[in-house]
């Protein structure tokens, strides 16, 4: 096998992919951007024919044809390249769909510069989330919506009010909403979501240290967590 020829062909395919998907950003996929062509072949080569990349290509074409992507996105080539690299990492469907949804929002014609920058920041945060993290956030957001209408949420351990600040009841309510009803699985995401400032951290209160959390009115979601969930639902 001619290794050099194979490398050249695959790198050519990567560049062709850039031309077919996004002519104005084709330069972002040239070999010059990649410092190690060998690593590129390993990480990108398989993804060229992957169903996830094909799906993204089809979604791109559809949104482009409907005018849902701004005409001139030359300045977004780095973000576009980052997204392709993320797809090449073969993320699970829930994480990938969340990142793609935010990306398309960032490059929509009606998204102004300040909102675009915020959405790109949300993309970086979302990449760090696990599937369980996303499920927890989604459930908390949906419970908040229910409480906003009914002033309460009926969980497995009784009715929960908007004023609830008990961590244990929050775990059980979110687990009940997700469907698996495993509170400890929800709790396993608590530290990570707190570190990313998406939910409020446990609140020490004397003898009952860390049994409570601060409730801001969004069922423990911070303004950042609430905004992320709102974008992912829209």
């Amino acid at each position: 096998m001619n290794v050099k020829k194979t490398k050249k062909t695959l790198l050519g395919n990567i560049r062709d992919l850039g031309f077919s998907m996004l002519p104005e950003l084709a330069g972002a996929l040239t070999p010059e951007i990649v410092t190690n062509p060998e690593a590129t072949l390993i990480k990108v080569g398989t993804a060229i024919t992957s169903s996830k990349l094909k799906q993204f290509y089809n979604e791109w074409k559809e949104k482009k044809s409907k005018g849902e992507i701004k005409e001139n996105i030359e300045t977004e080539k780095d973000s576009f390249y980052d997204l392709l690299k993320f797809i090449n990492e073969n993320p699970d469907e829930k994480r990938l769909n969340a990142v793609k949804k935010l990306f398309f929002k960032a490059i929509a014609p009606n998204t102004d510069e300040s909102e675009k920058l915020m959405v790109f920041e949300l993309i970086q945060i979302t990449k760090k989330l696990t599937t369980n993290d996303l499920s927890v956030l989604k459930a908390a957001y949906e419970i908040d919506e229910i409480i906003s209408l009914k002033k309460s949420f009926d969980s497995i351990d009784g009715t929960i009010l908007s004023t609830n600040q008990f961590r244990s009841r929050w775990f059980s309510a979110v687990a009940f909403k997700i469907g698996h009803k495993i509170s400890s699985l929800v709790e396993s995401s608590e530290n990570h979501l707190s570190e990313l400032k998406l939910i409020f951290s446990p609140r020490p209160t004397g003898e009952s240290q860390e049994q409570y959390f601060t409730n801001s009115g969004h069922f423990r979601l911070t303004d950042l967590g609430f905004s992320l969930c709102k974008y992912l639902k829209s």
Side-chain angles (χ1 to χ4, degrees), residues 22-164:
L22 195 57
E24 58 266 49
L25 297 187
L29 294 177
T30 58
E32 287 74 20
I33 275 189
V34 184
T35 58
N36 188 343
E38 294 277 359
T40 302
L41 297 181
I42 295 173
K43 294 179 180 179
V44 183
T46 304
I48 292 176
T49 56
S50 73
S51 59
K52 290 179 180 178
L53 194 57
K54 287 181 179 179
Q55 182 180 357
F56 173 63
Y57 178 32
N58 291 333
E59 289 172 327
W60 175 275
K61 287 196 302 182
E62 181 179 359
K63 290 182 178 295
K64 189 78 170 177
S65 66
K66 291 180 178 179
E68 296 177 1
I69 294 176
K70 62 181 64 175
E71 289 300 322
N72 182 16
I73 60 171
E74 176 68 26
T75 58
E76 317 305 341
K77 62 182 180 180
D78 290 339
S79 299
F80 177 79
Y81 186 63
D82 284 342
L83 177 59
L84 289 185
K85 288 196 296 183
F86 180 67
I87 296 176
N88 292 337
E89 294 170 3
N90 197 30
D92 61 77
E93 288 296 327
K94 183 168 286 191
R95 291 173 62 224
L96 177 57
N97 289 338
V99 169
K100 286 193 298 183
K101 190 163 194 174
L102 292 169
F103 177 78
F104 284 128
K105 173 59 181 176
I107 62 174
N110 61 345
T111 301
D112 61 30
E113 186 67 18
S114 61
E115 183 179 18
K116 181 193 74 174
L117 293 175
M118 181 188 69
V119 175
F120 277 139
E121 286 301 316
L122 291 177
I123 289 175
Q124 298 309 312
I125 293 173
T126 303
K127 287 179 181 179
K128 300 175 183 177
L129 299 176
T130 66
T131 297
N132 191 55
D133 292 338
L134 288 167
S135 296
V136 169
L137 291 173
K138 180 175 182 290
Y141 182 80
E142 291 175 347
I143 292 174
D144 180 62
E145 287 187 314
I146 293 172
I147 290 178
S148 296
L149 294 175
K150 298 182 178 180
K151 307 303 179 184
S152 65
F153 175 72
D154 295 325
S155 181
I156 193 170
D157 58 352
T159 300
I160 294 181
L161 303 177
S162 60
T163 55
N164 173 69

